[in-house]
Amino acid sequence: MSSRGVRHDSMRARNLAVVLDAIHRTGPHTRAALAERTGLTKTTVSSLVADLLEAGVVSERGAVRGGERGRPGVAVSLSGQRVATLGLEVNIDYLAACVVDLTRAVRLRRTRPADNRNSDPAEILGLLRALARETIEAAEAGGLRVMGAALAVPGTVEDGVLRSAPHLGWRDVRVADLAGDLPLAIDNEANLAALGELWFGSREADFLYVSGEIGIGAGLVVGGALFRGTYGLAGELGHVVVVPDGPACRCGGRGCLEVYAGQDALLGPLESVTALVERLEAGEPRALEACARAGHALGVALTSAVHLLDPGRIVLGGVFAPLFPWLDAPVKDGLGARLGQMRGAPPPLVVSGIGADAAVLGAAGLVIQRILADPAQALGL
Amino acid sequence: MSSRGVRHDSMRARNLAVVLDAIHRTGPHTRAALAERTGLTKTTVSSLVADLLEAGVVSERGAVRGGERGRPGVAVSLSGQRVATLGLEVNIDYLAACVVDLTRAVRLRRTRPADNRNSDPAEILGLLRALARETIEAAEAGGLRVMGAALAVPGTVEDGVLRSAPHLGWRDVRVADLAGDLPLAIDNEANLAALGELWFGSREADFLYVSGEIGIGAGLVVGGALFRGTYGLAGELGHVVVVPDGPACRCGGRGCLEVYAGQDALLGPLESVTALVERLEAGEPRALEACARAGHALGVALTSAVHLLDPGRIVLGGVFAPLFPWLDAPVKDGLGARLGQMRGAPPPLVVSGIGADAAVLGAAGLVIQRILADPAQALGL
């Protein structure tokens, strides 16, 4: 419930958002069809569409330039030609940036391998700032205008401050001016990876995205919206208790999922997920056993998560994606045995198709979402 | 995002809701103050308030009847004199009904002890229908008009159908015309008990309400709104896994919280919670041990729930309320040991003050909420 009534002077901003929403979700549409869908008059729709055209937010398909405004048969669609946003990510072993246009087409992607464990925030953020600057310049050289940015971090975020990223060794880092004067949002990587899956992956509206990295996080999407909890700390799947008196976890608890299924537990002495996959393909018993143990623990933790969160499906991402062929059966068996009776069938278990880019894409997509939700505010229309 | 633009003819319904929301949340207010808060003109506010007065939704405090409309100093507040709603509950050992007025004052409460285990739905619903009719008649004799009803059930609800209530032995029961021609909503008892806690209990906006009964359910409230998950099945705390290879649970899983902390596990051979409390007060070792075991299991399951749901606080209700003095320490110890490092402090653990009435009050409150959100629609204004 908005606390403000609708006055004539705020109607235009609201109606701009309503028209753009109709174009975005179900378009392209003619102006007449837009009027019918939104309940607005054709005159109002034509005036709003003219403003959106002027701002480069929409374009006319098959439009006859110089023809009559609102001419029937001319369809209005979202334009990818001008407005764009910047996604940024600092993770444990890389920095990344991407540019996404208003139609959510990915226009640029850059990744810099790095070793950010126990690093100096000022130094790493300096490198990220340079990467952001160079990415924005490349986008603008291609005719795009970058209107905002968002940053994904492997840690907890509160009130725009990175509270704790244990693997980076960062605490209470306030991130500012990474992208010059552009407004900058900051969020947890599992949350943004879930949004990446929503907008750039399967595009299902209801799922739990499980981000397997050195830590394990999750992001729940319900009806196309991310569930964040009270303080933005929801989805810490890695610390769901699997065995109450199990081995100590770095969080201070015992027997957490991360102890059994985090990247370090999966790899053991191996150096990379690629090396693990090679061993698995060769049928090496120790590798198979590590995956079976991780899959069993994931089945237990996801059972608790399904009972509490009620996701539409479960999407395994991060390092769990290349390991999916070996995790699939033990996780499904666990979910089926424990959930079958109460829910009929457990939620479908699938693998993410967008790999390691999920979080940085979700970051750019978050800013697109904000522009689409309130174009008048975001673009100064 | 509404899919409809704002036209002049729908502005009135919306503005009625905005004005009523301001009166309800922060009132009483004079008409001038309402205009300032809502951004509407004084003329518009006066016209809307006149309609709300006519419908008996608001009243004027200190008003001089026959005085000038919109006279400064005359405050408008929500009226409990006319509009009311009916809450109904079918639970394992009782039927209940209550009537709540628009100010959320409880006007009538009726409870009928019953043994509904493995019962015939048609028979029990017949008894509930009679209870509803007699409660509505009593309310109307007192000058109230009952405008809608909602029913709390100890089971899962999908699309208005009671899918499964294992302790009642009911499956796929479609509940209709319980309250004559009144619109009837139906929801899970833990969800409605959480809303009861929100509106009639502590009135905090962020908490996980834990409903300890023969089954254990939970309802998460974030920012004053209930989180339901994808299919309305979220919050099944009773089947969070505490010990992966623990004893079989009636759900088909193993080592669920309910096995350790459900009413049957707590009571053992005892007949009632009252009997258990007597033993606990006398310091009987077996009773103390049952509570310690339940408290330990609750600490483990709630750790997983806090990591996934991020609640603002945890409220123990149902049979956990009278047992709180014995559950408090083991639950807090478990949460503190496991959560302390990652979250600074675990969420506060408190006891519910509204007891067994939480769900039936929440049911009546749900209908009040719908009236306040759209008075034009709900009351035909």
Side-chain angles (χ1 to χ4, degrees):
Chain A
M1 165 69 58
S2 154
S3 66
R4 305 291 291 176
V6 184
R7 284 179 66 149
H8 293 251
D9 50 3
S10 67
M11 275 175 70
R12 191 174 149 282
R14 193 177 147 77
N15 288 341
L16 265 175
V18 168
V19 167
L20 187 55
D21 189 66
I23 295 167
H24 156 52
R25 275 184 214 275
T26 57
H29 290 300
T30 62
R31 292 168 189 208
L34 281 171
E36 198 170 310
R37 283 189 169 263
T38 59
L40 296 166
T41 65
K42 286 185 196 172
T43 314
T44 302
V45 166
S46 277
S47 152
L48 297 169
V49 166
D51 291 346
L52 293 170
L53 277 168
E54 171 79 25
V57 170
V58 299
S59 61
E60 289 181 312
R61 190 177 288 187
V64 180
R65 291 289 166 195
E68 188 190 330
R69 261 206 193 167
R71 190 186 153 213
V74 176
V76 181
S77 57
L78 215 55
S79 168
Q81 299 302 305
R82 195 183 315 171
V83 176
T85 62
L86 177 70
L88 297 169
E89 181 178 8
V90 51
N91 216 317
I92 294 151
D93 45 9
Y94 63 88
L95 301 177
C98 72
V99 171
V100 163
D101 72 29
L102 206 53
T103 68
R104 294 211 173 95
V106 182
R107 304 294 291 265
L108 285 167
R109 253 182 243 235
R110 295 180 182 221
T111 305
R112 298 264 185 282
D115 181 3
N116 299 329
R117 282 202 199 223
N118 302 312
S119 57
D120 173 17
E123 186 194 330
I124 305 304
L125 292 175
L127 294 173
L128 191 61
R129 196 172 289 115
L131 178 62
R133 196 181 311 121
E134 138 196 351
T135 308
I136 291 172
E137 280 168 11
E140 295 191 336
L144 294 169
R145 279 188 59 200
V146 177
M147 305 298 288
L151 170 67
V153 292
T156 51
V157 173
E158 244 186 293
D159 301 327
V161 176
L162 170 53
R163 284 290 167 222
S164 166
H167 296 294
L168 299 178
W170 296 9
R171 283 196 80 88
D172 296 320
V173 177
R174 187 172 293 276
V175 182
D177 70 354
L178 268 188
D181 292 336
L182 292 182
L184 177 75
I186 170 170
D187 206 339
N188 170 266
E189 72 92 18
N191 282 348
L192 291 175
L195 291 174
E197 179 70 25
L198 171 69
W199 292 318
F200 301 91
S202 69
R203 298 171 196 232
E204 296 277 340
D206 297 284
F207 60 89
L208 180 70
Y209 179 91
V210 179
S211 172
E213 306 282 348
I214 293 171
I216 299 172
L220 178 73
V221 173
V222 179
L226 183 68
F227 168 75
R228 294 175 182 274
T230 305
Y231 303 110
L233 302 176
E236 285 287 350
L237 184 71
H239 302 286
V240 164
V241 182
V242 173
V243 179
D245 51 0
C249 178
R250 66 176 172 84
C251 76
R254 306 196 76 86
C256 301
L257 175 63
E258 223 166 274
V259 171
Y260 304 96
Q263 189 174 309
D264 292 346
L266 277 162
L267 293 188
L270 299 176
E271 277 195 358
S272 69
V273 177
T274 315
L276 176 59
V277 170
E278 279 167 15
R279 301 291 200 292
L280 289 165
E281 284 172 342
E284 212 229 59
R286 281 211 312 203
L288 291 170
E289 200 192 293
C291 264
R293 196 171 50 235
H296 174 77
L298 263 169
V300 172
L302 286 171
T303 294
S304 295
V306 169
H307 279 307
L308 291 171
L309 300 172
D310 183 26
R313 51 173 54 204
I314 297 169
V315 182
L316 295 189
V319 303
F320 294 149
L323 300 176
F324 190 76
W326 295 275
L327 293 171
D328 184 28
V331 177
K332 267 200 192 118
D333 289 352
L335 290 174
R338 292 172 190 275
L339 287 167
Q341 204 164 314
M342 259 186 88
R343 296 179 65 98
L349 182 74
V350 299
V351 61
S352 170
I354 54 170
D357 285 344
V360 74
L361 290 175
L366 181 69
V367 189
I368 296 288
Q369 184 194 36
R370 290 179 182 176
I371 294 173
L372 292 175
D374 192 352
Q377 165 78 21
L379 304 175
L381 291 184
Chain B
M1 165 70 59
S2 155
S3 67
R4 305 290 292 175
V6 183
R7 285 178 66 149
H8 293 251
D9 51 1
S10 67
M11 279 176 68
R12 189 173 151 282
R14 194 177 146 78
N15 287 340
L16 264 175
V18 167
V19 166
L20 188 56
D21 189 67
I23 294 167
H24 157 51
R25 277 185 212 274
T26 56
H29 291 299
T30 63
R31 293 169 187 206
L34 281 171
E36 198 170 310
R37 282 187 170 263
T38 59
L40 296 166
T41 66
K42 286 185 197 170
T43 314
T44 302
V45 166
S46 276
S47 154
L48 297 169
V49 166
D51 291 345
L52 292 170
L53 277 168
E54 171 78 23
V57 171
V58 300
S59 60
E60 290 182 310
R61 190 176 289 187
V64 179
R65 293 288 166 193
E68 186 189 329
R69 263 208 189 165
R71 189 187 153 210
V74 176
V76 181
S77 56
L78 215 55
S79 168
Q81 297 305 302
R82 194 182 317 171
V83 176
T85 63
L86 177 70
L88 296 169
E89 181 178 8
V90 51
N91 216 317
I92 294 153
D93 46 7
Y94 62 88
L95 301 177
C98 72
V99 170
V100 163
D101 71 30
L102 205 55
T103 67
R104 294 211 172 94
V106 182
R107 304 293 290 268
L108 284 167
R109 252 182 246 234
R110 294 180 182 218
T111 305
R112 298 266 182 281
D115 181 2
N116 299 330
R117 283 201 200 223
N118 302 312
S119 56
D120 172 18
E123 186 193 332
I124 306 304
L125 293 175
L127 295 172
L128 192 59
R129 195 172 291 116
L131 178 62
R133 195 180 313 123
E134 134 194 357
T135 309
I136 292 173
E137 281 168 11
E140 296 191 334
L144 294 170
R145 279 189 59 200
V146 177
M147 305 298 289
L151 169 67
V153 292
T156 51
V157 174
E158 245 185 292
D159 301 327
V161 176
L162 170 53
R163 284 289 168 220
S164 167
H167 296 296
L168 298 178
W170 296 10
R171 285 196 79 87
D172 297 320
V173 177
R174 187 172 294 276
V175 183
D177 71 351
L178 268 186
D181 293 335
L182 291 183
L184 177 74
I186 169 170
D187 206 341
N188 169 267
E189 72 91 17
N191 282 348
L192 291 175
L195 291 174
E197 179 68 27
L198 171 69
W199 292 319
F200 301 91
S202 70
R203 296 169 197 234
E204 296 277 340
D206 297 283
F207 59 88
L208 181 70
Y209 178 91
V210 179
S211 172
E213 305 282 348
I214 292 171
I216 300 173
L220 178 73
V221 173
V222 179
L226 183 68
F227 168 75
R228 293 176 182 272
T230 306
Y231 303 109
L233 303 176
E236 284 287 350
L237 184 71
H239 302 286
V240 165
V241 183
V242 173
V243 179
D245 51 0
C249 177
R250 64 174 175 85
C251 76
R254 306 197 76 85
C256 301
L257 175 62
E258 223 166 274
V259 171
Y260 304 97
Q263 189 175 308
D264 291 346
L266 277 162
L267 294 187
L270 298 176
E271 279 195 356
S272 69
V273 177
T274 315
L276 176 58
V277 170
E278 278 167 16
R279 301 291 200 293
L280 289 165
E281 284 172 342
E284 211 228 59
R286 282 212 311 203
L288 291 170
E289 200 192 292
C291 264
R293 195 171 50 235
H296 174 77
L298 264 169
V300 172
L302 285 171
T303 295
S304 295
V306 169
H307 279 308
L308 291 171
L309 300 172
D310 183 28
R313 52 174 54 204
I314 298 167
V315 182
L316 295 188
V319 303
F320 294 149
L323 300 176
F324 191 76
W326 296 275
L327 293 171
D328 183 28
V331 177
K332 266 198 192 117
D333 289 352
L335 291 174
R338 291 172 190 275
L339 288 167
Q341 205 165 310
M342 260 187 85
R343 297 180 63 100
L349 182 75
V350 300
V351 61
S352 169
I354 55 172
D357 285 344
V360 74
L361 291 174
L366 181 69
V367 189
I368 296 289
Q369 183 194 37
R370 291 180 181 176
I371 294 173
L372 293 175
D374 192 353
Q377 164 79 21
L379 303 176
L381 292 185

